[in-house]
Structures are given as structure tokens and as C-alpha cells.
Amino acid sequence: MDELMIHIRIFTEDKIHHVWIRDTYVVRDFLKDIQKSWHLENTNFEHFFYHIESNRILDPGQSFYDNIVMTGDHCILF
């Protein structure tokens, strides 16, 4: 298990969050946890991450490691 620092921008905001996470953290679980503390807008769909370096949406059922996310990567939270 390694820790990663990733940079996350919420789609509706200009602010960038710099977050330390475990590479074994499952993306869906991470999203559930940050919704509580970041007060994300409720929507009719699940929030998801767009991974800028690989130009794709992260698979929410996989860990950050399995999604090939590395320290310094950037994501946009929709």
C-alpha cells in the first residue's frame, strides 16, 4: 500500500483540492467519504472522476491503483 497525492478540481468550482489517499482506496468509497466533508451538490447521478492524464473516467469499482492513478495526477470531479 502506498500513499498518493492527487489534485482534484470540482467541476463547478475553481478551487483545487490536494488530497493524500491510499492507492488501495476504492474510488466509489472515496467519493462517498468526500461528499460528506466537501458538501457536494446533490444530483440525480453518481459523482465521478475524470482523470486528466489518461483522458478517461475512473472506474468507481476499482482502487486508485487499479485505475493507474499516480502521485501528482489531476482529476476533475463531476
Side-chain angles (χ1 to χ4, degrees):
M1 172 180 75
D2 289 322
E3 288 197 358
L4 310 170
M5 180 192 269
I6 60 172
H7 311 287
I8 302 170
R9 185 174 70 81
I10 298 174
F11 179 68
T12 57
E13 300 177 8
D14 290 332
K15 179 179 178 180
I16 295 176
H17 298 269
H18 309 283
V19 180
W20 283 99
I21 57 166
R22 293 181 318 276
D23 63 355
T24 56
Y25 209 165
V26 174
V27 172
R28 181 178 290 120
D29 295 339
F30 178 73
L31 286 170
K32 287 179 186 175
D33 288 343
I34 63 169
Q35 284 179 16
K36 297 172 191 171
S37 60
W38 288 3
H39 307 291
L40 300 179
E41 181 180 329
N42 287 330
T43 65
N44 293 329
F45 60 89
E46 278 191 35
H47 291 283
F48 63 91
F49 279 125
Y50 181 80
H51 188 244
I52 293 175
E53 280 75 17
S54 62
N55 296 315
R56 63 183 174 83
I57 296 171
L58 296 182
D59 182 333
Q62 292 186 337
S63 69
F64 284 91
Y65 176 84
D66 293 333
N67 273 292
I68 312 171
V69 176
M70 297 179 242
T71 289
D73 284 357
H74 296 79
C75 295
I76 300 174
L77 176 62
F78 286 91

